[in-house]
Amino acid sequence: MAARHPGLRVPSNVLCGTHEDVPRVFPVLADVSAGALRGTPRWAPAPAPDTPGPSRRAPSASWLEITYPFSSDATLRYIYMMPGGDRLRAGRFLEELDAFSADVSMRHADTFNPDRPLLVVTAAHDGLSVFGGDGVSSPLSAQHDLRLRGAVVSAGTSSMEVRTDVLRVLRDPGRPGGGEREEHLGSCYTVMVTLDKRTLGKAAVHGLQAGEPLSDDDERAAAQRAT
């Protein structure tokens, strides 16, 4: 049996765009990331909630993905690489990871609703553990494309937990389905808090609909609860 992918699933209704779509889909990340502005975004449609107040949203409504084209963009490699090697600048990467999490949480919270203007702020990070594959090059390497994929995986009264998977994209022209395969390097969990934009007080956030597992781990947990 083939090994299951440990990361977030790709929704069946995912949309793929170009670098021109990045500022619209990733308004926060686009402000801080030269790489995202040269990357390939994917997102799941996120219909506006049908009630003005907090409701429940599908987990896939917050699903986002951005691919940094390091393997084919020499300028991008120069911007992100540490001197004297192919390792990526960790500080810059972590800043962009935080911005990516903000964009994911903003989609779930529907922060651009003029009837309920909201802000999101980072409350906490669960440390990112990134592990390599070949034992030689850095897992955060500019030799291969890098992909961030995230979604809100839990929601409280005014907070959301965003899971972001870090993926290395390996090009394989002989492989079906686009000639690429993904290597899961690690995941980060970020807690985002929702604030009322007018008062800066905590604001209620949408809950998550049940019945849509985001990963194989979610599906196994649901099966265990059912037994």
Side-chain angles (χ1 to χ4, degrees):
M1 180 182 295
R4 288 188 168 190
H5 194 295
L8 293 168
R9 292 177 176 174
V10 177
S12 59
N13 60 342
V14 70
L15 302 175
C16 184
T18 70
H19 66 278
E20 295 179 346
D21 295 302
V22 171
R24 175 176 60 85
V25 180
F26 293 92
V28 180
L29 185 61
D31 276 346
V32 301
S33 173
L37 289 171
R38 302 166 79 99
T40 302
R42 293 204 297 176
W43 65 95
D50 54 8
T51 59
S55 60
R56 291 194 174 273
R57 307 199 74 186
S60 60
S62 64
W63 190 96
L64 287 175
E65 179 188 280
I66 187 73
T67 301
Y68 293 72
F70 290 119
S71 66
S72 59
D73 193 324
T75 300
L76 205 58
R77 290 196 297 272
Y78 176 78
I79 293 172
Y80 281 79
M81 279 170 48
M82 295 281 289
D86 67 352
R87 296 183 62 182
L88 299 179
R89 298 177 185 272
R92 182 165 195 154
F93 173 75
L94 291 174
E95 179 185 13
E96 298 194 12
L97 188 66
D98 188 56
F100 178 88
S101 300
D103 281 320
V104 170
S105 64
M106 287 167 63
R107 286 178 71 83
H108 177 80
D110 192 31
T111 58
F112 296 107
N113 185 341
D115 297 325
R116 193 169 175 262
L118 301 174
L119 299 171
V120 295
V121 296
T122 304
H125 280 295
D126 184 0
L128 174 66
S129 176
V130 176
F131 42 91
D134 57 15
V136 178
S137 61
S138 166
L140 292 181
S141 166
Q143 291 182 359
H144 305 285
D145 292 353
L146 189 70
R147 180 170 291 162
L148 301 181
R149 178 180 295 154
V152 170
V153 293
S154 66
T157 304
S158 61
S159 63
M160 300 158 282
E161 184 179 49
V162 176
R163 171 176 171 164
T164 302
D165 290 344
V166 182
L167 305 162
R168 176 190 287 162
V169 183
L170 304 175
R171 302 298 174 185
D172 183 357
R175 187 181 181 89
E180 69 173 40
R181 62 183 177 89
E182 295 176 340
E183 182 179 340
H184 181 255
L185 299 178
S187 300
C188 178
Y189 291 85
T190 306
V191 177
M192 310 294 293
V193 174
T194 311
L195 304 178
D196 186 302
K197 195 171 185 178
R198 294 161 294 198
T199 67
L200 299 184
K202 288 186 178 181
V205 71
H206 301 295
L208 281 175
Q209 292 177 0
E212 184 187 45
L214 282 170
S215 67
D216 291 326
D217 289 341
D218 292 340
E219 190 171 60
R220 285 193 291 270
Q224 290 175 353
R225 289 194 296 269
T227 58

